[in-house]
Amino acid sequence: MDEKFDNGSDAMRVTQNEAKRFYSRRDALILGGIAATVVGLSPLDALAAEAAADSKPFEVLFVLYPKFTLQDFAGANEVFARLSNVKVRIVSPEGGSIISDTNVVLGETGKLSDVRSCDLLCVPGGTDRSSMMRSEVQEVLRRLAADAKYVTSICNGSLILGAAGLLKGKRSACHWAQRSLLKQYGAIVDTARVVKDGRYMSGGGVTAGIDFALSVAAELRGPVEAQVIQLLMEYAPEPPFQSGSVETAPPEVVAAFKKRFGSLATTAGL
């Protein structure tokens, strides 16, 4: 039971919990002002997480499927799962365990059709998207996207959203080798690593999922909290090679890619 503090006036009587809440908000305002001064941000941005704490959790829904690409999902999940007042749900078309395209088993997932709503719908990429192209699955994606605050994808997950008719007239990213396939769904190809078009956000291939998630995090909880997560992850890329894009990869690397991944190279027009 709450204890009472009484200074002799009923108007000044508050419970212990109410007092704690008051001082918590006061301290947050002070810290937010300091953060705004130091980082050069507005107090509203610096206090985004504090404001969110008074609301219901923001629900992120990852839709995975057999042969999904683990890093597409894992990088973004690492960011979202550590944000304040965010609830992450992981589902798949059939529910239960699923296996990534590198043979990593993900434990129990919920069933996609059981989900009533979400705040952010995210579809990562994979090497076999056939299970997501079924009409009943695409219908659920359209239903969830209708009310979601954000409709998002990572890598070639954008092709799944496109097939569901959700990207017509929208700019979207995709894995570099499959960008051209977006056009068949009426999407506008954007070569940026992270693309935002209204409530639609997308990341490019695989590792771009981290950049995408940090960009979303900044929108949801402000740039300070997004950078706190980046710092926690020690996300400061220094790749040993500069072959992360077809534009920077040496000719011999592109030739080896064409030999090993012939169908992708053909799709990419190499």
Side-chain angles (χ1 to χ4, degrees), residues 60-62 64 70-83 86-90 106 122 124 154 209-210 212-214 229 233:
V60 171
L61 183 72
F62 281 107
L64 305 183
L70 181 64
Q71 182 59 42
D72 285 8
F73 157 71
N77 182 63
E78 187 74 20
V79 175
F80 290 145
R82 298 185 186 281
L83 284 175
V86 167
K87 177 183 178 181
V88 174
R89 298 181 65 182
I90 304 170
L106 191 68
C122 185
I154 300 164
I210 298 176
F212 151 80
L214 288 171
I229 300 301
M233 294 170 63

Side-chain angles (χ1 to χ4, degrees), residues 188-204:
I188 301 169
V189 177
D190 195 316
T191 61
R193 192 164 170 83
V194 178
V195 176
K196 184 178 188 300
D197 190 340
R199 68 189 184 105
Y200 293 83
M201 293 187 71
S202 53

Side-chain angles (χ1 to χ4, degrees), residues 174-188:
C174 189
H175 188 281
W176 67 267
Q178 296 176 310
R179 288 173 189 153
S180 62
L181 300 180
L182 282 169
K183 297 176 183 178
Q184 65 185 300
Y185 302 121
I188 301 169

Side-chain angles (χ1 to χ4, degrees), residues 7 9 16 23 34 48 63 65 69-70 75 113 157 159 169 179 187 207 216-217 223 225-226 236 251 255 258 263:
N7 71 344
S9 168
Q16 186 177 31
Y23 287 111
I34 293 173
V63 184
Y65 46 93
T69 298
L70 181 64
S113 60
L159 299 177
R179 288 173 189 153
T207 58
V216 175
E225 184 165 352
K258 291 168 65 175
S263 60

Side-chain angles (χ1 to χ4, degrees), residues 147-259:
D147 296 322
K149 294 180 177 67
Y150 293 91
V151 179
T152 73
S153 63
I154 300 164
C155 194
N156 60 21
S158 57
L159 299 177
I160 295 172
L161 294 182
L166 295 171
L167 296 182
K168 292 179 181 178
K170 302 296 181 182
R171 292 185 298 109
S172 181
C174 189
H175 188 281
W176 67 267
Q178 296 176 310
R179 288 173 189 153
S180 62
L181 300 180
L182 282 169
K183 297 176 183 178
Q184 65 185 300
Y185 302 121
I188 301 169
V189 177
D190 195 316
T191 61
R193 192 164 170 83
V194 178
V195 176
K196 184 178 188 300
D197 190 340
R199 68 189 184 105
Y200 293 83
M201 293 187 71
S202 53
V206 192
T207 58
I210 298 176
D211 296 4
F212 151 80
L214 288 171
S215 298
V216 175
E219 289 218 359
L220 297 182
R221 298 293 178 257
V224 171
E225 184 165 352
Q227 290 174 80
V228 167
I229 300 301
Q230 180 181 1
L231 179 58
L232 176 66
M233 294 170 63
E234 196 175 351
Y235 181 52
E238 293 183 10
F241 310 108
Q242 296 302 314
S243 297
S245 72
V246 70
E247 292 81 11
T248 61
E252 63 270 23
V253 172
V254 175
F257 180 92
K258 291 168 65 175
K259 184 176 180 180

Side-chain angles (χ1 to χ4, degrees), residues 91-105:
V91 299
S92 61
E94 304 300 329
S97 299
I98 53 174
I99 304 177
S100 77
D101 59 9
T102 51
N103 298 314
V104 176
V105 179

